[in-house]
Structures are given as structure tokens and as C-alpha cells.
Amino acid sequence: MLVVEQILNGLQLGVTLFLMSAGLTLVFGIMGLINLAHGSFYMVGAYVAAWVTGLTGSLLMGLLAALPAAMAVGMAIELLVMRRLYTRDHLDQVLATFGLILFFNEMARILFGRQPLFLDVPDMLSGTVEILPGVPYPAYRLAIIAVGILVALGLWLLISRTRLGMRIRAGASDREMAAALGANVTTLQTLVFGLGALLAGLAGAMAGPILAVESGMGEKILILAFVVIVIGGIGSVRGALVAALSVGLVDTLGRAFLPNLLRLIATEATADSLGATLSQLSIYLLMALVLAWKPKGLFPSHG
């Protein structure tokens, strides 16, 4: 039954990665912008949720506050900084957004201190759910999976069934033509950037009760988010979902079972060390295999 538990852990990680990568892939697909600071919106969501929860005693209030806060910060950054980078080359974008990472990390230390903040799981979700006979699983992690599924469904409806989604798809395919046909591409870019920041903030807020809320927490998950959008195909939300779940499962199952498997052929110390290394490499091996098969990713949005 450990396998079932680890599969669910992998799905929960995959959902978090999807929330991070969905906005990131839309921003890159529509604007051609490499935004290394996307993980900072994840951190903003986590800190706002922790702060508001501390004031109100309600994680739900913290979550509700984190979403508009992350979106507002994202839209402000787009207006003040990102608009000056759209026509610049990728090196300028990397340097500028790396500077934003340093700015956000230092601001977090100034506002909240250097010590990590910790969130408690709300009482109504603090127990476990018996998903199979004899297999209890934390209710909060199941809630994260459910929220991720609902968000994925909402994004699909938004992008494929609404006029705004039509404009987003048009902007991702050809910005110049979309503008020529009357779409306000400037406003569209701001909205998409804000939506991406909101999703990242949601991921950070939900991760607060599982991980420590601390300065720099967005950088680790940002690396995985970039792996996800490369595997899924740049600009594809469907690809981001499939790739995020795949990466979450490969990473979690590798960490859980590779050391035990290697103990069959090596000493315990060697198996643990080698297993930890191979589990970290597994997602990059997955990316290499996918790109060898489909160089543009699983579901490329262009061509």
C-alpha cells in the first residue's frame, strides 16, 4: 500500500508543478519572455497566506488573500518591468528577472525576518481519509489534488470556451496578427501575466502547511517548472498538465523506491547515496527521452 501513498504524493507534487508551470508556459508562449522571477510569486502567495492566517487564525482567509495579492504583484511587475523586456533579447530578460529574484528575496527577509514561517493544517483537513482499506492518506493533500484538478478544468474552459481564451490562443500563435485583428495585446499580456502570478501564488499558499515558508523558496520549484514546460511543450497548458503529473510521479517514486531497489545489489550506504542521486537525475532523464522523441515537447503550441 506504500505504492498507492507514493503515487498520491506524486500527484500532489504534480498538481503544484502544474499551477506553477501553467502561467509560466502561457507567459513564455504569448510574450516570448523568460521570467526567472516566476518563483517569487509562489513565495509571495505563501508569505501572504502565512501572514493573514496568523492574523485571522483561518487558512481559508489566508488563501483568499494570497490570490489577489500575488496577481496584483504580478501585474505591477509586468507594468513596471516586463514591458521593457519584450523587445529585448533573452539575455537581458534573464538578467533583469534574476535581479527581481534578489529583490523579492531581500524584501521577504526585511518584511518577515530570516526565520521560516510555519502554517498549521486547518482542523477540518487535519485528519486522514481511508482511500483504500487500510490505506489512510492526509486529507489536506487530497484537497490540494482536488483544487489542482478544478483549476485545470477551469483553465481548459477559459482557454478553449471563452472569447478571452480565443484571444490568448491567438496571441500565443501570432501576436502581430492578433493585434491587427483588433485584440488589445498589451492588456492581454498584463492579464495573462497576472493570471500566471495568481496560479503561482495559489501553489505557494497551498504548499505553506506542507513546507516551510521562507525566503528563496520559489527557486527550487521554479527549476522543476521549467522542466515541465519543456517536456509539455512551450505555450501548451495541456502539455503542462501532462508533464507536471509525469514529473511529479517520476520524482516522488524515484525518491521513495530507488534506494530500496539498489540495496538488492549494493550496500545500504551506497544504495542510499546512489539512489538519492539517481532520483534527482530521473526527471532530467525523462526530459531527455521526451525531447529525443519530440524535440518541441509533447504538445507544442506552434506548428
Side-chain angles (χ1 to χ4, degrees), residues 254-271:
R255 293 177 187 275
F257 297 113
L258 269 179
N260 291 332
L261 291 175
L262 290 173
R263 286 174 187 170
L264 299 175
I265 58 174
T267 63
E268 183 175 345
T270 302

PDB file of all heavy atoms in Angstrom, residues 254-271:
ATOM      1  N   GLY A 254      10.783   7.849  -7.628  1.00  0.00           N
ATOM      2  CA  GLY A 254      12.221   7.628  -7.624  1.00  0.00           C
ATOM      3  C   GLY A 254      12.822   7.801  -6.240  1.00  0.00           C
ATOM      4  O   GLY A 254      13.626   6.973  -5.783  1.00  0.00           O
ATOM      5  N   ARG A 255      12.426   8.863  -5.552  1.00  0.00           N
ATOM      6  CA  ARG A 255      12.947   9.099  -4.205  1.00  0.00           C
ATOM      7  C   ARG A 255      12.492   8.021  -3.232  1.00  0.00           C
ATOM      8  O   ARG A 255      13.218   7.665  -2.291  1.00  0.00           O
ATOM      9  CB  ARG A 255      12.494  10.475  -3.702  1.00  0.00           C
ATOM     10  CG  ARG A 255      13.091  11.641  -4.468  1.00  0.00           C
ATOM     11  CD  ARG A 255      12.536  12.971  -3.968  1.00  0.00           C
ATOM     12  NE  ARG A 255      12.961  14.080  -4.797  1.00  0.00           N
ATOM     13  CZ  ARG A 255      14.116  14.717  -4.652  1.00  0.00           C
ATOM     14  NH1 ARG A 255      14.958  14.355  -3.688  1.00  0.00           N
ATOM     15  NH2 ARG A 255      14.440  15.720  -5.449  1.00  0.00           N
ATOM     16  N   ALA A 256      11.296   7.497  -3.441  1.00  0.00           N
ATOM     17  CA  ALA A 256      10.738   6.527  -2.498  1.00  0.00           C
ATOM     18  C   ALA A 256      11.307   5.121  -2.685  1.00  0.00           C
ATOM     19  O   ALA A 256      11.537   4.405  -1.696  1.00  0.00           O
ATOM     20  CB  ALA A 256       9.218   6.493  -2.638  1.00  0.00           C
ATOM     21  N   PHE A 257      11.546   4.715  -3.933  1.00  0.00           N
ATOM     22  CA  PHE A 257      11.824   3.305  -4.182  1.00  0.00           C
ATOM     23  C   PHE A 257      13.210   2.994  -4.747  1.00  0.00           C
ATOM     24  O   PHE A 257      13.673   1.861  -4.625  1.00  0.00           O
ATOM     25  CB  PHE A 257      10.764   2.733  -5.129  1.00  0.00           C
ATOM     26  CG  PHE A 257       9.378   2.758  -4.558  1.00  0.00           C
ATOM     27  CD1 PHE A 257       8.404   3.579  -5.106  1.00  0.00           C
ATOM     28  CD2 PHE A 257       9.052   1.991  -3.445  1.00  0.00           C
ATOM     29  CE1 PHE A 257       7.125   3.618  -4.563  1.00  0.00           C
ATOM     30  CE2 PHE A 257       7.780   2.019  -2.895  1.00  0.00           C
ATOM     31  CZ  PHE A 257       6.811   2.832  -3.458  1.00  0.00           C
ATOM     32  N   LEU A 258      13.870   3.959  -5.375  1.00  0.00           N
ATOM     33  CA  LEU A 258      15.186   3.657  -5.944  1.00  0.00           C
ATOM     34  C   LEU A 258      16.203   3.200  -4.896  1.00  0.00           C
ATOM     35  O   LEU A 258      16.921   2.211  -5.123  1.00  0.00           O
ATOM     36  CB  LEU A 258      15.720   4.876  -6.705  1.00  0.00           C
ATOM     37  CG  LEU A 258      15.379   4.943  -8.197  1.00  0.00           C
ATOM     38  CD1 LEU A 258      15.943   6.220  -8.813  1.00  0.00           C
ATOM     39  CD2 LEU A 258      15.932   3.732  -8.928  1.00  0.00           C
ATOM     40  N   PRO A 259      16.320   3.864  -3.736  1.00  0.00           N
ATOM     41  CA  PRO A 259      17.291   3.377  -2.740  1.00  0.00           C
ATOM     42  C   PRO A 259      17.025   1.939  -2.312  1.00  0.00           C
ATOM     43  O   PRO A 259      17.963   1.143  -2.168  1.00  0.00           O
ATOM     44  CB  PRO A 259      17.109   4.361  -1.575  1.00  0.00           C
ATOM     45  CG  PRO A 259      16.610   5.607  -2.211  1.00  0.00           C
ATOM     46  CD  PRO A 259      15.704   5.141  -3.323  1.00  0.00           C
ATOM     47  N   ASN A 260      15.754   1.573  -2.123  1.00  0.00           N
ATOM     48  CA  ASN A 260      15.432   0.202  -1.714  1.00  0.00           C
ATOM     49  C   ASN A 260      15.776  -0.803  -2.808  1.00  0.00           C
ATOM     50  O   ASN A 260      16.260  -1.905  -2.526  1.00  0.00           O
ATOM     51  CB  ASN A 260      13.946   0.098  -1.366  1.00  0.00           C
ATOM     52  CG  ASN A 260      13.598   0.850  -0.096  1.00  0.00           C
ATOM     53  OD1 ASN A 260      14.442   1.000   0.791  1.00  0.00           O
ATOM     54  ND2 ASN A 260      12.379   1.354  -0.004  1.00  0.00           N
ATOM     55  N   LEU A 261      15.541  -0.442  -4.045  1.00  0.00           N
ATOM     56  CA  LEU A 261      15.880  -1.343  -5.147  1.00  0.00           C
ATOM     57  C   LEU A 261      17.387  -1.539  -5.260  1.00  0.00           C
ATOM     58  O   LEU A 261      17.863  -2.652  -5.505  1.00  0.00           O
ATOM     59  CB  LEU A 261      15.315  -0.798  -6.462  1.00  0.00           C
ATOM     60  CG  LEU A 261      13.792  -0.816  -6.610  1.00  0.00           C
ATOM     61  CD1 LEU A 261      13.370  -0.128  -7.907  1.00  0.00           C
ATOM     62  CD2 LEU A 261      13.266  -2.253  -6.573  1.00  0.00           C
ATOM     63  N   LEU A 262      18.135  -0.467  -5.064  1.00  0.00           N
ATOM     64  CA  LEU A 262      19.590  -0.559  -5.187  1.00  0.00           C
ATOM     65  C   LEU A 262      20.213  -1.349  -4.038  1.00  0.00           C
ATOM     66  O   LEU A 262      21.327  -1.868  -4.174  1.00  0.00           O
ATOM     67  CB  LEU A 262      20.196   0.845  -5.251  1.00  0.00           C
ATOM     68  CG  LEU A 262      19.899   1.620  -6.542  1.00  0.00           C
ATOM     69  CD1 LEU A 262      20.397   3.059  -6.429  1.00  0.00           C
ATOM     70  CD2 LEU A 262      20.553   0.940  -7.737  1.00  0.00           C
ATOM     71  N   ARG A 263      19.507  -1.451  -2.911  1.00  0.00           N
ATOM     72  CA  ARG A 263      20.027  -2.250  -1.800  1.00  0.00           C
ATOM     73  C   ARG A 263      20.103  -3.729  -2.135  1.00  0.00           C
ATOM     74  O   ARG A 263      20.796  -4.500  -1.452  1.00  0.00           O
ATOM     75  CB  ARG A 263      19.151  -2.055  -0.566  1.00  0.00           C
ATOM     76  CG  ARG A 263      19.351  -0.699   0.110  1.00  0.00           C
ATOM     77  CD  ARG A 263      18.370  -0.471   1.225  1.00  0.00           C
ATOM     78  NE  ARG A 263      18.465   0.893   1.743  1.00  0.00           N
ATOM     79  CZ  ARG A 263      17.606   1.434   2.599  1.00  0.00           C
ATOM     80  NH1 ARG A 263      16.573   0.718   3.032  1.00  0.00           N
ATOM     81  NH2 ARG A 263      17.768   2.679   3.006  1.00  0.00           N
ATOM     82  N   LEU A 264      19.415  -4.129  -3.191  1.00  0.00           N
ATOM     83  CA  LEU A 264      19.477  -5.528  -3.614  1.00  0.00           C
ATOM     84  C   LEU A 264      20.828  -5.870  -4.237  1.00  0.00           C
ATOM     85  O   LEU A 264      21.219  -7.048  -4.271  1.00  0.00           O
ATOM     86  CB  LEU A 264      18.361  -5.826  -4.623  1.00  0.00           C
ATOM     87  CG  LEU A 264      16.926  -5.631  -4.121  1.00  0.00           C
ATOM     88  CD1 LEU A 264      15.935  -5.840  -5.251  1.00  0.00           C
ATOM     89  CD2 LEU A 264      16.636  -6.580  -2.967  1.00  0.00           C
ATOM     90  N   ILE A 265      21.526  -4.844  -4.724  1.00  0.00           N
ATOM     91  CA  ILE A 265      22.797  -5.112  -5.414  1.00  0.00           C
ATOM     92  C   ILE A 265      23.966  -4.336  -4.811  1.00  0.00           C
ATOM     93  O   ILE A 265      25.093  -4.446  -5.297  1.00  0.00           O
ATOM     94  CB  ILE A 265      22.681  -4.771  -6.912  1.00  0.00           C
ATOM     95  CG1 ILE A 265      22.277  -3.309  -7.101  1.00  0.00           C
ATOM     96  CG2 ILE A 265      21.674  -5.695  -7.601  1.00  0.00           C
ATOM     97  CD1 ILE A 265      22.271  -2.848  -8.544  1.00  0.00           C
ATOM     98  N   ALA A 266      23.722  -3.529  -3.771  1.00  0.00           N
ATOM     99  CA  ALA A 266      24.790  -2.722  -3.184  1.00  0.00           C
ATOM    100  C   ALA A 266      24.580  -2.611  -1.682  1.00  0.00           C
ATOM    101  O   ALA A 266      23.534  -2.996  -1.144  1.00  0.00           O
ATOM    102  CB  ALA A 266      24.807  -1.326  -3.823  1.00  0.00           C
ATOM    103  N   THR A 267      25.597  -2.089  -1.012  1.00  0.00           N
ATOM    104  CA  THR A 267      25.491  -1.893   0.426  1.00  0.00           C
ATOM    105  C   THR A 267      24.469  -0.792   0.716  1.00  0.00           C
ATOM    106  O   THR A 267      24.112   0.007  -0.167  1.00  0.00           O
ATOM    107  CB  THR A 267      26.844  -1.498   1.031  1.00  0.00           C
ATOM    108  OG1 THR A 267      27.249  -0.233   0.470  1.00  0.00           O
ATOM    109  CG2 THR A 267      27.902  -2.551   0.711  1.00  0.00           C
ATOM    110  N   GLU A 268      24.009  -0.736   1.958  1.00  0.00           N
ATOM    111  CA  GLU A 268      22.967   0.219   2.315  1.00  0.00           C
ATOM    112  C   GLU A 268      23.421   1.656   2.112  1.00  0.00           C
ATOM    113  O   GLU A 268      22.681   2.478   1.559  1.00  0.00           O
ATOM    114  CB  GLU A 268      22.548   0.003   3.768  1.00  0.00           C
ATOM    115  CG  GLU A 268      21.416   0.917   4.210  1.00  0.00           C
ATOM    116  CD  GLU A 268      20.928   0.592   5.615  1.00  0.00           C
ATOM    117  OE1 GLU A 268      21.263  -0.493   6.131  1.00  0.00           O
ATOM    118  OE2 GLU A 268      20.203   1.437   6.177  1.00  0.00           O
ATOM    119  N   ALA A 269      24.658   1.973   2.526  1.00  0.00           N
ATOM    120  CA  ALA A 269      25.154   3.337   2.386  1.00  0.00           C
ATOM    121  C   ALA A 269      25.290   3.723   0.917  1.00  0.00           C
ATOM    122  O   ALA A 269      24.898   4.823   0.506  1.00  0.00           O
ATOM    123  CB  ALA A 269      26.498   3.489   3.093  1.00  0.00           C
ATOM    124  N   THR A 270      25.826   2.808   0.121  1.00  0.00           N
ATOM    125  CA  THR A 270      25.984   3.083  -1.312  1.00  0.00           C
ATOM    126  C   THR A 270      24.637   3.224  -1.992  1.00  0.00           C
ATOM    127  O   THR A 270      24.423   4.110  -2.824  1.00  0.00           O
ATOM    128  CB  THR A 270      26.791   1.956  -1.982  1.00  0.00           C
ATOM    129  OG1 THR A 270      28.068   1.844  -1.349  1.00  0.00           O
ATOM    130  CG2 THR A 270      26.985   2.244  -3.464  1.00  0.00           C
ATOM    131  N   ALA A 271      23.704   2.337  -1.633  1.00  0.00           N
ATOM    132  CA  ALA A 271      22.370   2.374  -2.247  1.00  0.00           C
ATOM    133  C   ALA A 271      21.655   3.684  -1.921  1.00  0.00           C
ATOM    134  O   ALA A 271      21.016   4.283  -2.797  1.00  0.00           O
ATOM    135  CB  ALA A 271      21.551   1.189  -1.774  1.00  0.00           C
TER     136      ALA A 271
END
